[in-house]
Amino acid sequence: MIKSLSILLLLLLSTSSLAVTQASIPPGKACEKIAAKLASVGLRECRNIGMKPSGYLSSNGFPILVKEFPPLGSRIPKGRILLVGGTHGDELSSISVVFKWMNTLEKYHSGLFHWRISPLMNPDGALQKKHTRTNANGVDLNRNFAIPNAHNSAALDYWKNRTYQNERRYPGPYPLSEPETNWLFKEIETFKPDVIIAVHAPYSLVDYDAPNRKNAPRRIGYLHKNLMGTYPGSLGNYAGINLGIPVITLELPHAGIMPTKSQISHLWTDLVRWLVRNL
Ligand SMILES: [Zn+2]
């Protein structure tokens, strides 16, 4: 009797702890982890931004948080912009810089554009003690997107034959196998962005993927145009080439060192200037 009771108790305990790990961490708690990891993002700063859970969790159950700067009553926005940082967990500057831009929008959002912003697409890769490019399943999220006009194994074949199975670039077993890419896939489908901006590091350049690349920005802040081409399973390939939604990729020069305040602000003003000219 005692034995069966203790087994029951054990079962109850294990299901409740499972429920805890599966439930989404509230945004305030998530901010604690983000601020503890990123020296350049304060706890209050993170909380004040007021990000909301997207409804999607990373593999380890961390919420993918989104902040929306919606249209304001007084004007029709010139376009919808999706801004994403922290696709690769070891590119910490790409997360912090997006936080700084959200602060700017907190102060100055004028309704010029409708923004949806996620500073940290890959929390499992970024927030662990030894951060990794890949997510918790060892998948490079920027190789895990849908590949509409190719075979499902295109990214895996490319990885095997062209990258010599570099484990930092493992595309996952099949397109959209990961919850984080499922979130972005859904976000693109529902929000229908006119432009997507993805922040990365450390190649110090601006890349641009779209069916027509003549509008590629020549320079954004201190980053100069350098068109790299796309890979099967990358966001640029999926959204830029296949869906025809221009993708601006900003590669900051350092993954672990923040740009200066004035560099962050020049990047922002040049981005907005490009959007105004092109939308
Ligand atoms: Zn990257």
Side-chain angles (χ1 to χ4, degrees), residues 36-105:
K37 179 71 186 187
L38 300 169
S40 44
V41 177
L43 177 56
R44 191 184 298 172
E45 174 186 2
C46 179
R47 284 184 170 158
N48 283 349
I49 286 167
M51 293 179 291
K52 301 271 189 295
S54 62
Y56 282 76
L57 303 179
S58 69
S59 298
N60 286 348
F62 199 91
I64 296 176
L65 299 171
V66 174
K67 172 70 185 183
E68 181 151 24
F69 293 91
L72 302 178
S74 48
R75 74 202 296 185
I76 296 166
K78 286 174 75 74
R80 289 181 300 278
I81 319 297
L82 180 60
L83 167 61
V84 181
T87 307
H88 292 133
D90 56 354
E91 298 168 5
L92 299 181
S93 60
S94 79
I95 308 162
S96 301
V97 162
V98 174
F99 269 96
K100 302 306 164 198
W101 291 339
M102 288 195 291
N103 289 339
T104 302
L105 278 168

Side-chain angles (χ1 to χ4, degrees), residues 86-91 94 133 140 142-143 168-169 199-203 249-251:
T87 307
H88 292 133
D90 56 354
E91 298 168 5
S94 79
R133 172 183 172 92
D140 179 344
N142 203 30
R143 299 290 182 274
R168 284 169 50 78
R169 292 181 165 72
V199 189
H200 287 259
Y203 295 109
T249 303
L250 298 179
E251 284 274 356

Side-chain angles (χ1 to χ4, degrees), residues 163-232:
T163 76
Y164 305 101
Q165 310 199 15
N166 178 341
E167 60 180 32
R168 284 169 50 78
R169 292 181 165 72
Y170 175 57
Y174 51 88
L176 298 177
S177 60
E178 305 307 302
E180 298 88 352
T181 44
N182 273 272
W183 160 72
L184 193 52
F185 180 80
K186 194 77 196 158
E187 187 72 51
I188 292 170
E189 207 174 72
T190 52
F191 181 53
K192 301 184 179 13
D194 297 300
V195 173
I196 299 172
I197 301 165
V199 189
H200 287 259
Y203 295 109
S204 195
L205 56 90
V206 186
D207 197 359
Y208 182 78
D209 296 304
N212 180 349
R213 305 217 284 182
K214 75 176 191 337
N215 293 338
R218 284 177 48 219
R219 192 171 67 84
I220 297 285
Y222 64 127
L223 304 175
H224 291 263
K225 179 174 80 173
N226 189 345
L227 302 180
M228 309 290 284
T230 63
Y231 306 91

